[in-house]
Amino acid sequence: MRREHEEGFTRAERRHGERKRGHHGAQTFRRGRALAFYQQLVIRQDTLKQQLESVELQSIHPIIAGELKATEAIMNDFKAAFALDEIIEETVEE
């Protein structure tokens, strides 16, 4: 038996730096990408809120308000679909 098998590693696991137990790389990667996309939505939401307060954009206020409402709906759907509530709370606490 080779040394890497004795230590609990297979050749592929050693190559990827992973152990047999606790293999969550793909799930962590997907959650990271989901959080990154959600953060983009938060930035878009903040931008729209700032635009609503802008005097120069008062003429298109209804359009901006509609975009803000749609963005918030997407954020809520996205959080529910990917169960991001717990993850978002964890990142806020850190």
CSV table of all heavy atoms in Angstrom, one decimal, residues 18-19 21-30:
chain,number,residue,atom,x,y,z
A,18,GLU,N,-7.3,17.7,-1.1
A,18,GLU,CA,-8.5,17.4,-0.3
A,18,GLU,C,-8.4,16.0,0.3
A,18,GLU,O,-7.7,15.1,-0.1
A,18,GLU,CB,-9.7,17.3,-1.3
A,18,GLU,CG,-9.9,18.6,-2.0
A,18,GLU,CD,-10.9,18.4,-3.2
A,18,GLU,OE1,-11.2,17.2,-3.5
A,18,GLU,OE2,-11.3,19.4,-3.7
A,19,ARG,N,-9.0,15.9,1.5
A,19,ARG,CA,-9.1,14.6,2.2
A,19,ARG,C,-10.3,13.8,1.7
A,19,ARG,O,-11.2,14.4,1.1
A,19,ARG,CB,-9.2,14.8,3.7
A,19,ARG,CG,-7.9,15.2,4.3
A,19,ARG,CD,-8.0,15.2,5.8
A,19,ARG,NE,-6.7,15.2,6.4
A,19,ARG,CZ,-6.1,14.1,6.9
A,19,ARG,NH1,-6.7,13.0,6.9
A,19,ARG,NH2,-4.9,14.3,7.4
A,21,ARG,N,-12.7,12.6,3.7
A,21,ARG,CA,-13.8,13.1,4.4
A,21,ARG,C,-13.8,14.7,4.3
A,21,ARG,O,-12.8,15.3,4.1
A,21,ARG,CB,-13.6,12.8,5.9
A,21,ARG,CG,-13.7,11.3,6.2
A,21,ARG,CD,-13.3,11.0,7.6
A,21,ARG,NE,-11.9,10.8,7.7
A,21,ARG,CZ,-11.1,11.5,8.6
A,21,ARG,NH1,-11.6,12.4,9.4
A,21,ARG,NH2,-9.8,11.3,8.6
A,22,GLY,N,-15.0,15.2,4.4
A,22,GLY,CA,-15.2,16.7,4.3
A,22,GLY,C,-15.0,17.3,3.0
A,22,GLY,O,-14.5,18.4,2.9
A,23,HIS,N,-15.3,16.6,1.9
A,23,HIS,CA,-15.2,17.1,0.6
A,23,HIS,C,-16.3,18.0,0.2
A,23,HIS,O,-17.4,17.6,-0.2
A,23,HIS,CB,-15.1,16.0,-0.4
A,23,HIS,CG,-14.9,16.4,-1.8
A,23,HIS,ND1,-14.3,17.5,-2.2
A,23,HIS,CD2,-15.4,15.8,-3.0
A,23,HIS,CE1,-14.3,17.6,-3.6
A,23,HIS,NE2,-15.0,16.6,-4.0
A,24,HIS,N,-16.1,19.3,0.4
A,24,HIS,CA,-17.2,20.3,0.1
A,24,HIS,C,-16.8,21.4,-0.9
A,24,HIS,O,-17.3,22.5,-0.9
A,24,HIS,CB,-17.7,21.0,1.4
A,24,HIS,CG,-18.2,20.0,2.4
A,24,HIS,ND1,-19.4,19.4,2.2
A,24,HIS,CD2,-17.7,19.5,3.6
A,24,HIS,CE1,-19.7,18.6,3.2
A,24,HIS,NE2,-18.6,18.6,4.1
A,25,GLY,N,-15.7,21.1,-1.6
A,25,GLY,CA,-15.2,22.2,-2.5
A,25,GLY,C,-16.2,22.7,-3.5
A,25,GLY,O,-16.3,24.0,-3.6
A,26,ALA,N,-16.9,21.9,-4.2
A,26,ALA,CA,-17.8,22.4,-5.2
A,26,ALA,C,-19.0,23.2,-4.6
A,26,ALA,O,-19.4,24.2,-5.1
A,26,ALA,CB,-18.4,21.3,-6.1
A,27,GLN,N,-19.5,22.7,-3.5
A,27,GLN,CA,-20.6,23.4,-2.8
A,27,GLN,C,-20.1,24.7,-2.3
A,27,GLN,O,-20.8,25.7,-2.4
A,27,GLN,CB,-21.1,22.5,-1.6
A,27,GLN,CG,-22.2,23.2,-0.9
A,27,GLN,CD,-22.8,22.3,0.2
A,27,GLN,OE1,-22.2,21.3,0.5
A,27,GLN,NE2,-23.8,22.7,0.8
A,28,THR,N,-18.9,24.8,-1.7
A,28,THR,CA,-18.4,26.1,-1.3
A,28,THR,C,-18.2,27.0,-2.4
A,28,THR,O,-18.5,28.2,-2.3
A,28,THR,CB,-17.0,25.8,-0.5
A,28,THR,OG1,-17.3,24.9,0.5
A,28,THR,CG2,-16.5,27.1,0.0
A,29,PHE,N,-17.7,26.5,-3.5
A,29,PHE,CA,-17.5,27.4,-4.7
A,29,PHE,C,-18.8,27.9,-5.2
A,29,PHE,O,-18.9,29.1,-5.5
A,29,PHE,CB,-16.8,26.5,-5.8
A,29,PHE,CG,-16.6,27.3,-7.1
A,29,PHE,CD1,-15.6,28.2,-7.2
A,29,PHE,CD2,-17.4,27.0,-8.2
A,29,PHE,CE1,-15.5,28.9,-8.4
A,29,PHE,CE2,-17.3,27.7,-9.4
A,29,PHE,CZ,-16.3,28.7,-9.5
A,30,ARG,N,-19.8,27.1,-5.3
A,30,ARG,CA,-21.2,27.6,-5.7
A,30,ARG,C,-21.7,28.6,-4.8
A,30,ARG,O,-22.3,29.6,-5.2
A,30,ARG,CB,-22.1,26.4,-5.9
A,30,ARG,CG,-21.9,25.6,-7.1
A,30,ARG,CD,-23.0,24.6,-7.4
A,30,ARG,NE,-23.1,23.6,-6.3
A,30,ARG,CZ,-22.5,22.5,-6.2
A,30,ARG,NH1,-21.7,22.1,-7.2
A,30,ARG,NH2,-22.7,21.6,-5.2
